[in-house]
């Protein structure tokens, strides 16, 4: 199924992007991770509201992922956040 393959490819890209951003920005804290993700995906810094929303999303996911037995809940949470940014209308390309 083409749609499933496209979704899997997007999740793999989101995971790779999140991993790279975490390697580069994690030591500076979560705000820096959000800034880096926005820079990579949208080539701009997030607004205060966007930063707050994305941090709330990630912070809300990590305990659930931990409870579900996720091996690396931080990476998974940031991967899902990155996927959400990829899926946003600002990132979509029109053919």
């Amino acid at each position: 199924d083409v749609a499933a393959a496209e979704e899997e490819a997007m999740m793999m890209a989101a995971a790779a992007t999140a991993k790279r951003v975490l390697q580069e920005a994690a030591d500076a804290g979560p705000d820096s991770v959000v800034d880096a993700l926005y820079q990579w995906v949208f080539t701009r810094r997030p607004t205060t509201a966007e930063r707050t929303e994305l941090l709330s999303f990630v912070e809300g996911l990590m305990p659930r992922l931990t409870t579900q037995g996720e091996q690396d809940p931080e990476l998974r949470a940031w991967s899902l956040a990155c996927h959400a940014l990829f899926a946003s209308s600002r990132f979509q390309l029109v053919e």
Side-chain angles (χ1 to χ4, degrees):
D1 172 301
V2 173
E6 288 175 351
E7 181 64 23
E8 184 177 340
M10 187 181 286
M11 272 310 303
M12 289 174 51
T17 301
K19 185 176 183 175
R20 183 164 181 182
V21 168
L22 282 171
Q23 288 172 344
E24 293 176 2
D27 290 342
D31 284 344
S32 293
V33 175
V34 173
D35 288 348
L37 278 177
Y38 265 78
Q39 193 62 44
W40 272 69
V41 176
F42 301 123
T43 64
R44 67 171 177 83
R45 293 179 59 103
T47 65
T48 301
E50 289 168 334
R51 181 181 291 109
T52 300
E53 187 175 353
L54 200 61
L55 285 173
S56 293
F57 177 77
V58 169
E59 290 168 359
L61 271 177
M62 280 201 276
R64 274 196 330 221
L65 293 169
T66 300
T67 300
Q68 294 172 354
E70 182 68 40
Q71 287 185 345
D72 190 344
E74 181 181 33
L75 176 59
R76 181 70 175 150
W78 284 109
S79 296
L80 291 169
C82 189
H83 182 268
L85 295 180
F86 285 171
S88 75
S89 62
R90 282 180 243 136
F91 190 74
Q92 297 297 311
L93 299 174
V94 178
E95 293 184 29

